[in-house]
């Protein structure tokens, strides 16, 4: 307890960062019962099978219908169609399975692997890889000009592979065993002509290389060269920035394959890519891209009007019986193309989305770079009382000295690269609230509205990144005492600038985590704090009701840090009384033993020493309250401990219990027991 540790990000396959469901075209076929559609998958006509796959794909975007399809063994019905003789059927079948995996979640992905989806999927991936460079397109099969069925099928298959490998260790084992890396890297070589396929491959690579030591031996010089070629790609579109960012994350995952002599230059190259991504102002990009979209649509509308007027004149001249209903109505083929993820006229929106995903990914990887590699992911999860928790870790501080580790725990050369790329400065910029003009654009444009969530996600990731930097960076690297005080004012403004305190759980966790780490750092270096205790109390009183355990732990720790600093000052007894009462109430009434233990720990810190602390402790009757609570805490640990908390958490709680006994004994030696 006490000092926090930088958290690691695990990739979240079904968050906005993960694969989007494959969207069927507007105005698609009417809904049909699951049984009837699944029966049509066996129809001798390829067009009927394609129709059925497309209909199923659209329906599977609705979570409530997924159980009906699972009951009818949709995986085993669609699986064989991945090797159908019709390329169109293969593509729509892969798209339907992709939607099932993306919208169904972890349990559905596990079920898909259990039902052997990997066998036809691996066969499809290898066959597509073999035929990738061949001209296998038949004009009779291609209803659309310039459509490359092989690459489009590969894109759907790679996204399906990404999903199942994110969720299922067996899928990753099969990926390794079947040598899928070679096929996947072959697709990556198409990055210069098909960036969408390359991005799907990069997402998949980042997933399968995470904590997968068995795959490392497959990354020979040739494989690393493929990744290096992508990193050196000079294209400046947002999609290419996202692609380079994802590849940088993959290279970080396989860093153990890189020689020690090349490690510094490798990290420098990675950070340069992240710096490039974070340097772009997402708000200004939204404004600019939205204006570009308006101009393009305006020009398209004017051109369509002129074309239609010309058609009207021609029709009037040629026949008096023709009417306006016969006028062409645009690109019908594009509207009915069931393989499109987004309409083809949304390139500006796609570019902004790619930028935000690149920035979020870069920030998450930087967080992971700041973390020690010692604990396994399972251990991280066990140390969490929620998916986002980062409790009870004290290893970020050197034993006994209180000194912080240097950035990335690597060489001075790498640390210099970290600072030379202005990473801390750019992270700080991303912690600000999103541009209000950009938010207004998104709010009033339905297709752009999902960007608001992505903008907020970038801000929260930046705050978490800041949290990690504060824990692992030397104060001088962060700009010294004055820079930390300015940072405290900035974070204070994020919390208190609005009329009401923030309530969004993700933001609260990120901002309280950053505040906790900042106050911790400032206290350890005796840097004066510029956030008033009254402000911190107001934040804590609001946030303590959060449903997120990490938020509650953070605010309790914040009060403990602030109180321990106040205890060294003069005329602070009244404020210490307020802090003490708050922490006592949390310890006694909190439903989570984890938070209750943190509150006790905070009390020990606040009232450990100092005349003002002794005076306040007497006035709030701290000693009798703790003596009365001690057996209650022991009983709760016996009753609630087993089964509800991890072994590590129980060890920490045992330490709290022991410290409680010692603290009571210490208070008694001060002669503060009421007579």
């Amino acid at each position: 307890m006490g000092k926090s540790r930088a958290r690691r990000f695990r990739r979240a396959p079904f968050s906005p960062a993960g694969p989007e469901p494959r969207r069927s075209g507007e105005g698609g076929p009417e809904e049909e019962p699951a049984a009837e559609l699944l029966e049509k998958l066996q129809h001798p006509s390829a067009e009927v099978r394609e129709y059925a796959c497309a209909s199923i794909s659209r329906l599977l975007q609705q979570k409530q219908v997924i159980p009906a399809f699972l009951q009818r063994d949709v995986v085993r019905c669609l699986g064989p169609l991945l090797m159908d003789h019709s390329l169109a059927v293969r593509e729509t079948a892969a798209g339907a399975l992709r939607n099932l995996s993306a919208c169904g979640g972890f349990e559905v992905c596990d079920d898909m692997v259990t039902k052997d989806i990997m066998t036809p999927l691996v066969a499809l991936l290898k066959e597509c890889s073999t035929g990738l460079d061949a001209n296998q397109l038949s004009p009779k099969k291609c209803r659309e000009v310039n459509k490359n069925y092989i690459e489009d099928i590969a894109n759907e298959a790679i996204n399906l592979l990404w999903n199942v490998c994110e969720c299922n260790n067996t899928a990753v084992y099969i990926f390794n065993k079947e040598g899928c890396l070679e096929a996947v890297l072959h697709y990556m070589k198409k990055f210069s002509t098909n960036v969408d396929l390359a991005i799907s491959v990069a997402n998949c690579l980042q997933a399968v290389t995470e904590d997968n030591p068995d795959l490392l031996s497959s990354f020979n010089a040739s494989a690393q060269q493929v990744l290096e070629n992508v990193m050196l790609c000079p294209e400046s579109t947002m999609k290419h920035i996202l692609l380079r960012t994802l590849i940088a994350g993959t290279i970080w995952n396989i860093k153990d394959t890189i020689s020690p002599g090349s490690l510094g230059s490798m990290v420098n190259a990675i950070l340069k890519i992240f710096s490039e991504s974070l340097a772009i102002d997402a708000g200004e990009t939204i404004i600019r891209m939205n204006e570009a979209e308006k101009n393009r649509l305006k020009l398209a509308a004017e051109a369509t009007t002129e074309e239609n007027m010309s058609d009207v004149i021609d029709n009037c001249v040629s026949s008096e019986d023709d009417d306006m209903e016969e006028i062409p109505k645009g690109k019908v083929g594009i509207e009915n193309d069931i393989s499109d993820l987004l309409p083809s006229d949304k390139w500006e929106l796609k570019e902004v989305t790619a930028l935000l995903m690149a920035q979020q990914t870069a920030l998450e990887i930087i967080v992971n770079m700041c973390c020690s590699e010692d604990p396994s992911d399972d251990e991280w999860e066990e140390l969490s009382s929620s998916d986002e928790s980062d409790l009870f870790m004290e290893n970020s501080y050197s034993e006994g000295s209180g000194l912080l580790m240097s950035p990335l725990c690597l060489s001075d050369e790498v640390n210099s690269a970290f600072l030379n790329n202005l990473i801390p400065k750019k992270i700080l910029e991303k912690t600000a609230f999103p541009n209000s003009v950009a938010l207004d654009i998104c709010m009033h444009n339905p297709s752009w509205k999902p960007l608001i969530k992505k903008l907020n996600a970038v801000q929260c990731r930046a705050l978490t990144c800041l949290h990690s930097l504060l824990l692992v960076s030397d104060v001088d690297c962060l700009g010294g005492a004055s820079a930390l005080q300015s940072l405290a004012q900035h974070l204070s403004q994020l919390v208190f600038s609005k009329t009401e305190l923030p309530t969004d759980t993700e933001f609260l966790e990120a901002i309280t985590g950053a505040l906790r780490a900042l106050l911790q750092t400032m206290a350890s270096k005796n840097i004066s704090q510029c956030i008033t205790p009254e402000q911190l109390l107001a934040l804590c009183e609001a946030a303590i009701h959060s449903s997120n355990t990490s938020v509650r732990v953070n605010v309790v720790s914040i009060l403990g840090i602030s109180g321990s600093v106040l205890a060294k000052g003069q005329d602070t007894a009244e404020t210490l009384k307020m802090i003490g009462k708050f922490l006592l109430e949390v310890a006694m009434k909190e439903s989570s033993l984890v938070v209750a233990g943190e509150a006790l720990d905070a009390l020990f810190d606040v009232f450990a020493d100092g005349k003002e602390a002794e005076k306040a402790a007497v006035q709030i009757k701290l000693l009798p309250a703790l003596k009365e609570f001690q057996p209650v805490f022991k009983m709760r640990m016996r009753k609630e401990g087993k089964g509800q908390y991890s072994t590590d958490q129980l060890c920490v709680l045992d330490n709290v219990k022991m410290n409680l006994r010692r603290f009571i004994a210490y208070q008694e030696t001060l002669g503060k027991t009421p007579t």
Side-chain angles (χ1 to χ4, degrees):
M1 302 194 123
K3 299 179 178 65
S4 63
R5 178 180 185 146
R7 57 169 286 185
R8 282 189 68 192
F9 273 105
R10 283 190 62 80
R11 291 172 56 79
F14 307 117
S15 72
E20 298 285 350
R22 178 180 183 277
R23 309 201 187 284
S24 300
E26 297 294 327
E30 295 180 358
E31 293 186 16
E32 296 184 45
E36 185 177 343
L37 286 172
L38 291 173
E39 184 179 345
K40 288 183 177 179
L41 295 178
Q42 309 302 320
H43 197 279
S45 167
E47 289 187 357
V48 174
R49 295 197 301 277
E50 181 188 0
Y51 165 90
C53 288
S55 300
I56 292 170
S57 180
R58 180 172 55 82
L59 288 172
L60 288 175
Q61 294 175 44
Q62 306 168 37
K63 288 188 177 182
Q64 67 272 19
V65 308
I66 290 178
F69 281 97
L70 292 176
Q71 289 169 9
R72 291 170 175 81
D73 215 3
V74 64
V75 177
R76 287 199 172 101
C77 292
L78 285 170
L81 297 184
L82 293 178
M83 300 303 293
D84 195 278
H85 64 79
S86 165
L87 296 179
V89 173
R90 290 188 184 191
E91 183 185 359
T92 49
L97 287 164
R98 172 185 173 183
N99 277 359
L100 178 63
S101 64
C103 300
F106 289 91
E107 291 183 3
V108 170
C109 284
D110 285 340
D111 184 61
M112 293 175 78
V113 175
T114 301
K115 292 180 176 175
D116 200 26
I117 194 59
M118 291 298 289
T119 296
L121 179 56
V122 169
L124 175 63
L125 286 165
K126 290 184 176 180
E127 184 173 313
C128 285
S129 177
T130 302
L132 196 61
D133 300 319
N135 183 13
Q136 297 191 6
L137 302 182
S138 166
K140 293 181 180 178
K141 291 183 178 179
C142 294
R143 297 187 301 258
E144 188 181 339
V145 178
N146 295 328
K147 179 172 177 61
N148 189 323
Y149 265 110
I150 299 297
E151 292 184 11
D152 290 346
I153 292 167
N155 193 35
E156 299 294 352
I158 287 291
N159 276 280
L160 172 58
L161 180 67
W162 171 21
N163 279 358
V164 293
C165 286
E166 283 276 19
C167 303
N168 188 278
N169 289 332
T170 301
V172 176
Y173 171 79
I174 294 171
F175 182 97
N176 296 345
K177 180 184 175 184
E178 294 294 331
C180 293
L181 180 64
E182 182 180 356
V184 169
L185 286 175
H186 190 52
Y187 297 134
M188 181 59 75
K189 294 176 183 178
K190 289 288 183 180
F191 74 91
S192 60
T193 57
N194 192 337
V195 68
D196 291 322
L197 174 60
I199 287 172
S200 296
V201 172
N203 273 306
C204 185
L205 281 174
Q206 199 183 356
V208 297
T209 55
E210 187 173 22
D211 302 310
N212 185 4
D214 294 339
L215 188 62
L216 295 183
S217 60
S218 300
F219 278 94
N220 53 28
S222 174
Q224 291 184 18
Q225 186 63 51
V226 173
L227 301 182
E228 184 178 338
N229 289 341
V230 178
M231 286 185 69
L232 295 174
C233 168
E235 295 290 339
S236 59
T237 71
M238 304 306 168
K239 284 187 178 182
H240 284 88
I241 289 173
L242 172 58
L243 175 60
R244 288 193 291 271
T245 302
L246 291 167
I247 292 299
T250 298
I251 291 177
W252 176 255
N253 287 343
I254 64 167
K255 61 185 177 296
D256 290 343
T257 67
I258 296 170
S259 64
S262 302
L263 189 61
S265 59
M266 179 272 289
V267 175
N268 187 61
I270 290 175
L271 292 175
K272 186 176 180 181
I273 287 172
F274 294 164
S275 177
E276 173 193 30
S277 166
L278 296 173
I280 300 172
D281 188 319
E284 291 299 325
T285 303
I286 287 174
I287 296 169
R288 189 176 70 254
M289 286 295 182
N290 182 256
E291 191 63 30
E293 181 185 67
K294 287 179 181 177
N295 291 336
R296 178 177 54 78
L297 293 176
K298 180 181 177 182
L299 290 173
E302 291 173 354
T304 302
T305 301
E306 291 178 6
E307 182 181 346
N308 288 349
M309 287 300 296
S310 176
D311 288 341
V312 170
I313 294 171
D314 291 342
N315 288 340
C316 289
V317 171
S318 63
S319 172
E320 294 181 356
D321 295 329
D322 288 342
D323 57 39
M324 290 295 288
E325 291 181 354
E326 295 177 324
I327 297 173
K329 297 182 180 178
K331 298 180 180 179
V332 177
I334 291 178
E335 291 178 351
N336 293 335
D337 179 10
I338 57 179
S339 68
D340 279 352
L341 287 172
L342 282 172
S344 59
D345 62 349
K346 294 292 183 183
W347 70 267
E348 297 94 348
L349 177 57
K350 289 180 180 179
E351 282 286 281
V352 177
T353 301
L355 170 63
L356 292 174
M357 289 313 308
Q359 293 183 343
Q360 180 176 331
T361 301
L363 291 166
E364 290 177 357
I365 297 169
I366 292 170
V367 169
N368 291 349
M369 293 173 81
C370 290
C371 291
S372 166
E373 293 294 317
D374 293 338
S376 68
D377 288 322
D378 289 341
E379 288 171 331
W380 277 105
E381 290 168 4
E382 286 177 358
L383 288 166
S384 304
S385 54
S386 72
D387 289 341
E388 304 293 326
S389 181
D390 54 67
L391 316 181
F392 312 142
M393 304 300 289
E394 303 191 16
N395 300 17
S396 294
Y397 286 75
S398 300
E399 198 64 30
S401 69
L403 296 176
L404 296 162
M405 296 188 294
S406 57
L408 308 181
C409 310
L410 295 173
S411 66
D412 291 339
E413 178 188 2
V414 174
N415 294 336
S416 297
F418 189 75
L419 297 173
N420 289 341
N421 284 289
L422 303 177
I423 297 294
K425 177 178 181 292
K426 291 170 183 176
I427 290 170
L428 182 59
E429 290 170 355
K430 298 304 173 191
T431 63
F433 285 118
N435 184 308
S436 59
V437 177
L439 283 177
D440 190 61
I441 288 171
C442 296
M443 281 295 297
H444 293 91
N445 190 331
S447 60
W448 289 60
K449 196 168 184 178
L451 294 180
I452 296 175
K453 189 174 181 180
K454 297 181 188 297
L455 284 164
N456 292 334
V458 169
Q459 182 193 26
C460 290
R461 294 300 186 273
L463 286 166
T464 303
C465 209
L466 179 62
H467 175 189
S468 297
L469 287 178
L470 286 163
L471 292 180
V472 301
S473 299
D474 185 83
V475 171
D476 291 336
C477 290
L478 297 171
S482 60
L484 292 184
Q485 288 176 325
S486 297
L487 178 56
Q489 291 176 341
H490 169 67
L491 295 182
S492 173
Q493 203 169 24
L494 291 179
V495 176
F496 301 108
S497 60
K498 298 185 178 180
T499 53
E500 295 182 359
L501 289 171
T503 57
D504 178 76
T505 299
E506 187 178 10
F507 176 76
L508 262 180
E509 182 178 1
I511 190 70
T512 56
L515 265 175
R516 177 185 180 181
L518 175 62
L519 295 177
Q520 216 167 265
T521 302
M522 295 175 75
S524 70
K525 297 296 181 181
N526 294 318
I527 300 170
S528 59
Q529 300 177 11
C530 51
I531 304 177
T532 68
E534 289 75 20
Q535 284 180 315
L536 293 177
L537 266 171
L539 170 63
C540 294
E541 286 171 354
I544 200 65
H545 301 293
S546 170
S547 59
N548 184 288
T549 306
S550 292
V551 172
R552 304 202 302 277
V553 165
N554 283 339
V555 296
V556 164
S557 179
I558 285 170
L559 271 191
I561 296 165
S562 178
S564 65
V565 172
L566 285 172
K568 299 173 185 176
Q570 295 181 345
D571 300 323
T572 58
E574 287 302 313
T575 305
L576 291 173
K577 280 169 58 178
M578 289 190 291
I579 291 174
K581 287 179 181 179
F582 179 87
L583 292 173
L584 262 178
E585 185 174 3
V586 172
M588 294 176 177
K589 295 183 179 180
E590 170 62 47
S591 60
S592 167
L593 273 176
V594 168
V595 182
E598 189 71 39
L600 287 171
D601 228 19
L603 280 167
F604 305 155
D605 289 341
V606 173
F607 296 97
D609 193 22
K611 293 296 181 183
E612 294 297 307
E614 290 178 20
K615 187 192 307 182
V618 172
Q619 293 178 3
I620 65 172
K621 297 181 171 57
L622 178 62
L623 179 57
L626 290 178
K627 291 177 74 172
E628 183 180 346
F629 180 62
Q630 186 179 24
V632 176
F633 187 69
K634 289 181 179 179
M635 182 183 66
R636 283 193 63 186
M637 283 189 61
R638 283 196 303 270
K639 286 186 175 181
E640 303 172 26
K642 291 182 180 179
Q644 291 191 34
Y645 301 97
S646 71
T647 303
D648 299 276
Q649 289 174 327
L650 289 175
C651 286
V652 173
L653 288 169
D654 277 333
N655 283 335
V656 173
K657 182 175 67 174
M658 181 175 63
N659 289 337
L660 176 58
R661 176 172 53 81
R662 291 175 175 174
F663 185 76
I664 289 173
Y666 163 71
Q667 287 288 313
E668 288 176 333
T669 62
L670 295 176
K672 301 303 180 181
T673 307
T675 57

